[in-house]
Amino acid sequence: MQSREDDIQQINQKMNKVNEIYKDLGNLVGSQQDQIDEIEDAAADADSRAATGLDQLQRANRPWFGGKKQEQQQQEEEAAEKSWSDSIMDSMKEMKSDMDAIGNDVAKKSKASILAAQMMFCGAFGGASPYGASSD
C-alpha cells in the first residue's frame, strides 16, 4: 500500500514538473512577442522610409522651372539624386543591421528555450527520453 502511495506521489511530482515546463514555455513565447512587435515596427518604418524615398524620387524627376542653365540643372539633379541614394542606402544598412540583430537574438533565445525544455522534460521523467528510448 505504501509503495502505491509513493508511486502516486512521484507521478504527482512529475506532473507538477511538466506543468512548470508548460508555464515556462508560455512565458518564453510571451517574451518573444516583444521581438515580433519590434520586427513589425521595423517593417512599418521600412514602409515609411520607402514612401519618403518614392516622394523624393518623384520630386527629383519633376521638370525644372525658372530658367536655370542646363548645366546647373544637371548638377542640382545629380546632387539631389546622390543625396537621396545615400539616404536610402544608409536607411537600408541600418534596417539590415537591426533585422540581423533581432534575428540572431530570436534564434539564440529559441535554441535556449528548446534546450531548457528538453532538460526539464528529461528531468521530470527521471532522465528518460521523451521519445521512449533510454537516455543512456
Side-chain angles (χ1 to χ4, degrees), residues 8-58:
I8 292 172
Q9 182 92 15
Q10 286 179 346
I11 291 172
N12 189 25
Q13 289 173 349
K14 289 178 183 180
M15 292 301 293
N16 285 333
K17 285 183 182 181
V18 169
N19 187 28
E20 288 177 33
I21 291 170
Y22 278 109
K23 286 180 183 179
D24 290 342
L25 287 175
N27 289 336
L28 289 171
V29 169
S31 70
Q32 290 176 351
Q33 182 64 43
D34 293 338
Q35 293 170 339
I36 292 170
D37 292 341
E38 287 178 31
I39 292 170
E40 288 177 0
D41 292 343
D45 187 44
D47 183 54
S48 173
R49 289 180 187 200
T52 300
L54 178 61
D55 183 53
Q56 290 177 355
L57 179 62
Q58 289 171 340

Side-chain angles (χ1 to χ4, degrees), residues 64-112:
W64 291 90
F65 298 103
K68 293 182 180 179
K69 295 180 184 175
Q70 184 69 22
E71 186 176 325
Q72 185 180 3
Q73 288 176 352
Q74 188 174 1
Q75 289 174 353
E76 288 178 3
E77 287 176 6
E78 289 173 1
E81 187 174 319
K82 183 174 181 349
S83 174
W84 174 79
S85 295
D86 290 345
S87 174
I88 295 297
M89 288 303 292
D90 290 344
S91 296
M92 295 302 283
K93 287 177 185 176
E94 182 181 327
M95 286 177 44
K96 183 184 181 314
S97 174
D98 291 346
M99 295 300 277
D100 287 345
I102 290 170
N104 289 338
D105 193 40
V106 169
K108 287 178 187 175
K109 287 185 179 180
S110 294
K111 287 179 184 177

Side-chain angles (χ1 to χ4, degrees), residues 107-119:
K108 287 178 187 175
K109 287 185 179 180
S110 294
K111 287 179 184 177
S113 300
I114 290 169
L115 288 173
Q118 288 174 341
M119 289 171 51

